[in-house]
Amino acid sequence: MPNEKDKLETCLELIRNNNILVLSTQGEPYPLSSLMTYASSDDASEIYMISRKNSNKWKNIEKNPQVSLLIDDRDGKLEKRQGEIKALTITGIHTPVSSISERADIIELISQKNSNIADLFSGPECEIIRIKAESFQLLDGPDKAFIRTKLKGKPLNGFTS
């Protein structure tokens, strides 16, 4: 049976090994979920996406920076291996990117991971959504759950079991 450190590594691998997620924001009068392409920091503690400034998701984040993300590994498992699907819910907070060089680095990272839509990432109408992970909930199949809340000020890779 996996220990807490193994489960945390599974969470980080799901983040690093995928590039599609569901972003949920709180809007008025209801929440909004959006299918998004993304990239992550090397330690997987930050998730980066691009949005147009006039989109509902961006307007929601400006009003309430707390979001939820869902990443799963269902590709190739839907038909015969449904019980093996892992789904990771990440709660986090949007932190604006203020540095021009940091913005360029993040756009390059997203472009490398999502080259087929990289040309959509340029222009003044686009903004970076940077989510700093605060907690994880991992579902490993239909009945095994793992919840790990990030302690304030401690990096995710600083967890010990």
Side-chain angles (χ1 to χ4, degrees):
M1 181 177 226
N3 62 29
E4 186 173 335
K5 189 174 179 181
D6 292 338
K7 291 175 186 175
L8 178 61
E9 190 54 40
T10 299
C11 294
L12 299 176
E13 284 176 18
L14 275 167
I15 294 169
R16 290 182 190 118
N17 295 337
N18 289 285
N19 70 341
I20 300 287
L21 58 71
V22 176
L23 164 69
S24 295
T25 61
Q26 182 58 51
E28 291 297 329
Y30 47 82
L32 174 70
S33 292
S34 304
L35 191 61
M36 304 286 291
T37 186
Y38 76 94
S40 68
S41 59
D42 288 340
D43 68 358
S45 66
E46 292 185 348
I47 310 290
Y48 311 116
M49 297 160 277
I50 300 286
S51 176
R52 297 199 185 283
K53 291 179 188 177
N54 65 351
S55 70
N56 287 330
K57 67 181 131 318
W58 182 254
K59 291 173 187 174
N60 290 349
I61 287 172
E62 284 187 305
K63 291 177 186 168
N64 183 349
Q66 295 177 314
V67 302
S68 180
L69 309 173
L70 177 68
I71 300 171
D72 65 46
D73 69 348
R74 73 183 113 164
D75 269 359
K77 293 182 180 176
L78 286 177
E79 194 163 322
K80 301 200 184 214
R81 298 170 47 206
Q82 291 176 346
E84 298 174 24
I85 295 172
K86 291 178 181 64
L88 176 63
T89 299
I90 303 165
T91 58
I93 190 157
H94 168 69
T95 305
V97 176
S98 55
S99 157
I100 293 172
S101 64
E102 186 177 29
R103 177 182 170 80
D105 290 345
I106 291 171
I107 288 174
E108 176 64 23
L109 184 65
I110 293 170
S111 297
Q112 288 173 0
K113 193 147 185 190
N114 305 283
S115 59
N116 58 329
I117 59 171
D119 46 335
L120 299 176
F121 301 152
S122 61
E125 72 281 356
C126 291
E127 195 60 65
I128 294 172
I129 300 171
R130 174 174 54 184
I131 304 301
K132 293 193 179 238
E134 293 184 333
S135 71
F136 291 155
Q137 177 180 330
L138 174 66
L139 294 178
D140 187 355
D143 60 348
K144 293 177 227 129
F146 164 71
I147 298 173
R148 182 59 173 193
T149 301
K150 178 178 177 259
L151 302 174
K152 298 287 181 196
K154 301 242 177 160
L156 290 171
N157 58 9
F159 280 109
T160 58
S161 49

